[in-house]
Amino acid sequence: MQKPFRLGMVMDPIQSINIKKDSSFAMLLAAQRANCSLHYMQLEDLSLRDGVCWARWTALHVQDQTGKHFQLGETKEQPMHEAMDAVIMRKDPPFDMEYVYATYLLERAETQGVLVVNKPQALRDANEKLFTAWFPQCCVPSVVSRRAQELKQFIAQQQDVIIKPLGLMGGASIFRVKMNDPNLNVIIENMTQHGREYTLAQRFIPEISEGDKRILIVDGELVPYALARVPTKGETRGNLAAGGEGVGVALNERDQWIGQQLIPTLKQKGLLFVGIDVIGDYLTEVNVTSPTCIRELDALYGLDIAGDLIKAIGRHLS
């Protein structure tokens, strides 16, 4: 039987989450079932004092009941390593400098014995859009650039392209463009902030009409089912936040092959919980900050994905 541990969760305001879809909430429920004590924090609750990461944390009890899903207890402030054995970093993007600074604070807690999931250095290293470049055998042609001319050359070569920012989530600011698009110049200007910011362009994958598959990986193990986020009519984004419909599918041979290409690197970097996005035969993103779809897959297939993660954290602690 797994030994309970003290678990911290850095997340967005708990009162505003949708518990039917929130993977962080699934993790809290699973940890509570495993008799772990829950320590709730937001980003502003972290601080650094003389090289020691401090946390202002609040005791938390959760229940799977809409509108009554949490109860807050006593709030304390102390060095994180004195209060917690493990911390799950689940603050949603944007992946901005404030997020990066928080990873440095958490890295100090890590050096003092706290297991941080996912590993702070890996959160910085594995940008969710750029990290696909480490696995080119799994991807469509792409380019990352600030220069309008380079992006236009790529669009002319590929004909049909998706352009997306590097630090957002949920389908925000994603455009499908072609060379004859009358708004092409202004889209590139906005995406690159007139050449001051990098943006990613990928060849459009027509199989998006069948769904953008979110495949979850827990401590190097593929969950055998994916949630295919199918775009609504007239939309090119499958993201649930953009109105996509979630449909459960079993992993096919190509999905499993893509997963196996990534798993050794994910394990080496200390990425215990990852969500990869696959459209057709191709990897499009590697989500490491706050991957979703646990609750939907659990409901469809009777899984306990968050429970598997809590067990994995327990193994790493022991």
Side-chain angles (χ1 to χ4, degrees):
M1 186 172 179
Q2 179 175 311
K3 180 181 177 181
F5 54 89
R6 301 169 298 170
L7 178 68
M9 176 79 77
V10 181
M11 59 184 290
D12 292 295
I14 193 167
Q15 64 269 23
S16 64
I17 64 174
N18 178 357
I19 67 170
K20 294 185 182 300
K21 296 180 178 293
D22 195 277
S23 291
S24 300
F25 188 70
M27 295 174 191
L28 291 169
L29 286 171
Q32 187 171 271
R33 287 195 301 270
N35 296 315
C36 298
S37 58
L38 304 182
H39 300 58
Y40 164 68
M41 295 163 285
Q42 296 184 56
L43 216 58
E44 60 265 29
D45 294 318
L46 307 181
S47 60
L48 195 64
R49 305 180 193 177
D50 301 320
V52 176
C53 180
W54 280 64
R56 182 180 61 199
W57 59 270
T58 302
L60 175 67
H61 178 83
V62 290
Q63 55 188 19
D64 202 358
Q65 186 175 351
T66 301
K68 298 179 180 179
H69 62 279
F70 74 98
Q71 293 176 328
L72 298 178
E74 183 181 8
T75 296
K76 293 185 178 181
E77 191 164 5
Q78 62 191 126
M80 183 174 279
H81 67 278
E82 294 181 4
M84 300 163 224
D85 302 304
V87 171
I88 301 178
M89 174 55 159
R90 288 284 300 183
K91 173 70 177 68
D92 282 345
F95 190 89
D96 54 15
M97 284 308 299
E98 287 302 304
Y99 192 105
V100 171
Y101 296 148
T103 67
Y104 286 120
L105 272 61
L106 290 169
E107 194 165 19
R108 291 305 302 157
E110 187 180 53
T111 64
Q112 290 143 5
V114 179
L115 175 65
V116 183
V117 180
N118 284 312
K119 189 174 178 66
Q121 181 180 342
L123 290 173
R124 297 193 298 271
D125 288 350
N127 175 274
E128 300 186 328
K129 310 299 191 293
L130 284 173
F131 197 46
T132 57
W134 273 247
F135 313 98
Q137 70 274 26
C138 303
C139 303
V140 292
S142 66
V143 65
V144 175
S145 181
R146 290 181 171 195
R147 293 192 291 118
Q149 189 57 38
E150 188 170 10
L151 292 166
K152 287 181 181 179
Q153 288 173 353
F154 180 77
I155 295 165
Q157 180 186 45
Q158 300 297 329
Q159 298 296 311
D160 198 351
V161 168
I162 293 291
I163 295 182
K164 59 177 75 171
L166 298 180
L168 299 181
M169 61 171 284
S173 299
I174 291 179
F175 292 90
R176 179 182 177 186
V177 296
K178 301 179 181 180
M179 277 305 292
N180 60 0
D181 191 318
N183 296 308
L184 178 61
N185 286 333
V186 71
I187 288 171
I188 292 176
E189 287 168 7
N190 282 326
M191 295 297 287
T192 65
Q193 291 296 297
H194 295 273
R196 293 191 298 273
E197 295 182 5
Y198 287 106
T199 193
L200 167 66
Q202 295 172 322
R203 187 177 74 197
F204 176 70
I205 306 170
E207 288 83 359
I208 183 62
S209 61
E210 301 167 15
D212 178 357
K213 284 182 280 191
R214 167 59 54 81
I215 299 171
L216 297 177
I217 303 174
V218 180
D219 198 19
E221 296 291 332
L222 286 161
V223 174
Y225 302 94
L227 195 73
R229 285 92 40 96
V230 181
T232 57
K233 186 175 181 181
E235 176 64 81
T236 58
R237 301 171 299 170
N239 309 75
L240 300 181
E245 177 190 4
V247 178
V249 295
L251 300 192
N252 61 34
E253 187 175 337
R254 175 70 177 185
D255 298 332
Q256 294 179 35
W257 179 83
I258 290 173
Q260 294 303 326
Q261 299 299 298
L262 274 68
I263 282 171
T265 301
L266 302 181
K267 294 184 75 171
Q268 182 265 326
K269 285 186 170 293
L271 290 163
L272 265 67
F273 185 65
V274 174
I276 64 173
D277 291 345
V278 173
I279 302 174
D281 288 337
Y282 300 103
L283 174 72
T284 61
E285 292 189 15
V286 183
N287 296 273
V288 302
T289 54
S290 55
T292 59
C293 298
I294 285 179
R295 301 225 75 187
E296 294 90 338
L297 288 170
D298 280 357
L300 285 168
Y301 297 107
L303 304 173
D304 184 15
I305 298 168
D308 293 338
L309 176 61
I310 297 303
K311 290 177 184 174
I313 292 172
R315 289 194 301 271
H316 282 267
L317 285 172
S318 63

